[in-house]
C-alpha cells in the first residue's frame, strides 16, 4: 500500500490533462494514457471513482476549483493517500499496525462518501 500511494503521488505530478480530457505524461501529450476505468470501458457510464485521477492531477498543481470539477471528493481521497505514507511507514518501522478499528472506519467512511456522491450525481431527476 505504501508503494501504491507513493506511485499515485508521483504520477499526479508527472501526468497532465490534455485538451480532450484524456490524461498523458508531461512532454508526450500526443500519447494519452489508456483509459483505466473498467466500468466506463465495459458499460459506458462513470463509476464512483471516475474523475479522481484528473482531480489528483489538478490538486498537485494547486488548482482546487478544477480539481472539484473533476471529482467533488478528490481532495478527501488525496488526503487519504497522503496519510497512508506516514501511517504505512510507521507500520513498517515498528513491525505492527496502528489501531485497526479507526483505520477500518476511515476506509469505510471514504467508500461510503464515494458511493453517496455518485448516487447524488446520478440519481434520476424528480
Amino acid at each position: 500500500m505504501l508503494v501504491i500511494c507513493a506511485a499515485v503521488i508521483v504520477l499526479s505530478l508527472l501526468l497532465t490533462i490534455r485538451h480532450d480530457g484524456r490524461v498523458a505524461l508531461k512532454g508526450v501529450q500526443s500519447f494519452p494514457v489508456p483509459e483505466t476505468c473498467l466500468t466506463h470501458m465495459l458499460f459506458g457510464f462513470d463509476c464512483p471513482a471516475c474523475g479522481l485521477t484528473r482531480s489528483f492531477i489538478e490538486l498537485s498543481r494547486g488548482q482546487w476549483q478544477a480539481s472539484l470539477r473533476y471529482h467533488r471528493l478528490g481532495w478527501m481521497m488525496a488526503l487519504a493517500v497522503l496519510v497512508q505514507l506516514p501511517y504505512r511507514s510507521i507500520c513498517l518501522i515498528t513491525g505492527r499496525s496502528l489501531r485497526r478499528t479507526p483505520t477500518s472506519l476511515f476506509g469505510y467512511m471514504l467508500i461510503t462518501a464515494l458511493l453517496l456522491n455518485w448516487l447524488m450525481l446520478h440519481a434520476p431527476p424528480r
Side-chain angles (χ1 to χ4, degrees), residues 23-125:
V23 173
L25 282 169
K26 287 182 183 177
V28 285
Q29 286 90 336
S30 57
F31 300 102
V33 174
E35 189 171 343
T36 56
C37 182
L38 192 58
T39 301
H40 197 268
M41 285 189 317
L42 293 176
F43 305 113
F45 62 87
D46 293 346
C47 75
C50 276
L52 282 177
T53 300
R54 289 169 288 175
S55 181
F56 280 31
I57 292 168
E58 293 292 3
L59 279 173
S60 74
R61 286 158 184 67
Q63 303 297 321
W64 291 90
Q65 294 290 21
S67 171
L68 289 172
R69 280 192 299 273
Y70 284 116
H71 199 290
R72 292 189 298 186
L73 301 179
W75 66 272
M76 187 185 302
M77 299 306 290
L79 182 61
V81 168
L82 284 172
V83 167
Q84 292 298 310
L85 295 179
Y87 171 71
R88 300 294 173 171
S89 297
I90 290 169
C91 291
L92 282 174
I93 291 167
T94 63
R96 60 189 180 97
S97 64
L98 301 177
R99 296 207 37 161
R100 188 91 176 141
T101 303
T103 55
S104 293
L105 288 174
F106 181 67
Y108 292 136
M109 181 194 74
L110 289 174
I111 292 168
T112 302
L114 282 173
L115 290 172
L116 288 174
N117 178 65
W118 183 74
L119 287 172
M120 288 185 342
L121 289 174
H122 294 64

Side-chain angles (χ1 to χ4, degrees), residues 16-22 29 70:
T16 189
I17 303 169
R18 298 174 4 144
H19 293 293
D20 63 359
R22 305 264 322 259
Q29 286 90 336
Y70 284 116

